[in-house]
Amino acid sequence: MSERTQWIYKSKEILKPILETQFIGVSRAILGLPMDHFFDRFKTLIQASQNNNFKQLFLESYYRNGIFRGIFAGFSSQISIQLFKQYYRWPMMILIPRLYMQILPEKIKESAPALHKGLAGITIALFESFVTCPFERVKCQMMTQQQSKSVLKYMWEHDGGIKGFTRDLFTGMEVMVLKQVVSWTNYLYWDHRVRYYFKRHPSQKLTVKEIVLCSIFTAIPNIVIVQPFDMIKTQFQMENNDQIKNLSIWNAFKKVYYEKGIPGFYAGWQMRFCQFMFQALLTTPVMDYLERLHGVAQKVQ
């Protein structure tokens, strides 16, 4: 076999899993986007307003701005975010754990069988926080803004030009990094542990019942651990954030605690649970399939 043929063969081996995971990831985003956005929209509204009355918020949004600008406010930004995220997320979710499995020493892998998932979660979280923070800031502004004018125009005028506008786009960057690291490591760890708990061998497919149970058992720790960080992120990135945007993360947590107590951190948890369950029911079988096909199908002891 010539060097050129070997190079072509190796290139195909590298590109095939990347392209397949990207295609499946984007398809999954398109399929789930409308419902995913609906849950995210009202979770964000509840967190911003601290009003847990979903019916009241739904009717107010509808009567004020109608279906698209009211109920689906921020949908255009959400489309951009989700398609972009799913395009890079799936190759990273499948291939980065495999990379860490190849470079980690055997003793470490034996003592911490899910460590490669945790390291992959940190890697994805750091990358994702930087590239998506401006999109998340605009989406959160669109979801909570009461003004009728263009979001970008409003932010530009409110921030006083290019310097303030650029800085505003990265508002909440620090708490977003923290939230993403907690979220990704938590999700990949529990997804891995729970899925392989139901498997007799790594190549076994999950049944529908097992997929549902995996989704529930992965959702519960995600809500309990991640929701407070998501709540603080919303406080930094929502429209009326003047009282919190200049605070440290620790002081922002203290502010919410003194004003609302522990329940304040879990405002909108019902919407988040529905959203996570919906996402997990789509993601778990896809994750399992791609991991068996291209990733590391390793039985956790």
Side-chain angles (χ1 to χ4, degrees):
M1 186 181 294
S2 66
E3 290 186 5
R4 185 171 182 276
T5 305
Q6 288 179 342
W7 181 83
I8 293 173
Y9 181 75
K10 288 182 179 179
S11 298
K12 286 182 178 180
E13 279 190 328
I14 295 171
L15 288 175
K16 184 180 178 182
I18 294 175
L19 294 175
E20 284 184 357
T21 50
Q22 285 176 335
F23 174 77
I24 292 173
V26 171
S27 301
R28 174 245 177 270
I30 294 172
L31 180 64
L33 191 55
M35 283 301 296
D36 188 27
H37 177 75
F38 178 84
F39 292 129
D40 195 36
R41 156 71 166 152
F42 285 97
K43 178 210 70 174
T44 303
L45 264 185
I46 291 170
Q47 289 177 332
S49 65
Q50 289 290 307
N51 179 1
N52 282 306
N53 191 327
F54 165 73
K55 183 179 179 180
Q56 179 185 344
L57 290 172
F58 180 89
L59 292 175
E60 284 179 356
S61 300
Y62 175 74
Y63 289 130
R64 185 186 301 120
N65 293 311
I67 292 290
F68 188 76
R69 296 188 63 184
I71 305 304
F72 286 93
F75 189 67
S76 57
S77 180
Q78 184 82 313
I79 291 174
S80 304
I81 293 171
Q82 289 303 323
L83 290 181
F84 180 53
K85 280 182 176 180
Q86 300 301 328
Y87 185 75
Y88 68 76
R89 267 182 175 180
W90 285 96
M92 295 180 81
M93 286 165 65
I94 301 301
L95 301 178
I96 290 180
R98 188 172 76 178
L99 174 64
Y100 279 119
M101 281 295 291
Q102 292 172 350
I103 63 178
L104 285 173
E106 287 298 326
K107 288 184 178 180
I108 294 179
K109 287 189 287 187
E110 290 175 3
S111 59
L115 178 61
H116 63 293
K117 290 286 187 174
L119 293 173
I122 294 171
T123 304
I124 298 170
L126 294 175
F127 172 81
E128 184 165 281
S129 297
F130 180 76
V131 300
T132 65
C133 186
F135 295 101
E136 289 286 343
R137 171 69 181 101
V138 171
K139 182 193 76 173
C140 196
Q141 176 75 21
M142 292 177 74
M143 288 182 174
T144 58
Q145 180 173 298
Q146 303 297 320
Q147 305 289 332
S148 59
K149 64 175 63 176
S150 164
V151 167
L152 294 178
K153 183 179 180 181
Y154 172 80
M155 290 174 64
W156 180 276
E157 293 175 353
H158 184 265
D159 298 327
I162 183 67
K163 187 176 180 180
F165 177 72
T166 304
R167 185 171 58 249
D168 194 10
L169 285 176
F170 286 91
T171 297
M173 177 69 180
E174 295 85 357
V175 72
M176 186 171 176
V177 170
L178 186 58
K179 180 248 178 182
Q180 290 293 81
V181 168
V182 173
S183 178
W184 271 107
T185 53
N186 179 70
Y187 168 70
L188 290 179
Y189 175 80
W190 286 108
D191 171 77
H192 189 73
R193 298 289 299 193
V194 174
R195 275 193 297 115
Y196 284 99
Y197 174 81
F198 289 106
K199 294 185 176 215
R200 295 184 181 86
H201 52 84
S203 60
Q204 178 183 333
K205 295 180 181 179
L206 295 175
T207 65
V208 174
K209 179 182 177 181
E210 289 169 345
I211 289 171
V212 173
L213 289 173
C214 283
S215 301
I216 293 172
F217 291 135
T218 306
I220 292 172
N222 185 277
I223 301 300
V224 173
I225 299 171
V226 180
Q227 185 72 4
F229 296 96
D230 189 59
M231 165 62 181
I232 298 299
K233 171 187 166 293
T234 297
Q235 294 294 306
F236 272 98
Q237 295 185 330
M238 68 183 188
E239 179 186 19
N240 298 317
N241 64 351
D242 293 331
Q243 294 184 356
I244 202 168
K245 67 179 182 181
N246 294 318
L247 296 179
S248 67
I249 296 174
W250 175 244
N251 285 332
F253 269 96
K254 288 198 296 184
K255 183 178 186 298
V256 172
Y257 177 74
Y258 290 147
E259 292 180 356
K260 300 293 180 180
I262 296 297
F265 292 112
Y266 291 93
W269 73 266
Q270 300 93 333
M271 290 290 105
R272 177 57 184 151
F273 182 80
C274 292
Q275 180 189 22
F276 193 94
M277 279 296 299
F278 179 74
Q279 291 174 337
L281 289 171
L282 294 176
T283 300
T284 300
V286 176
M287 182 80 161
D288 193 61
Y289 167 75
L290 290 175
E291 196 169 81
R292 284 185 282 109
L293 191 65
H294 297 300
V296 181
Q298 181 194 10
K299 180 76 172 180
V300 177
Q301 301 298 331

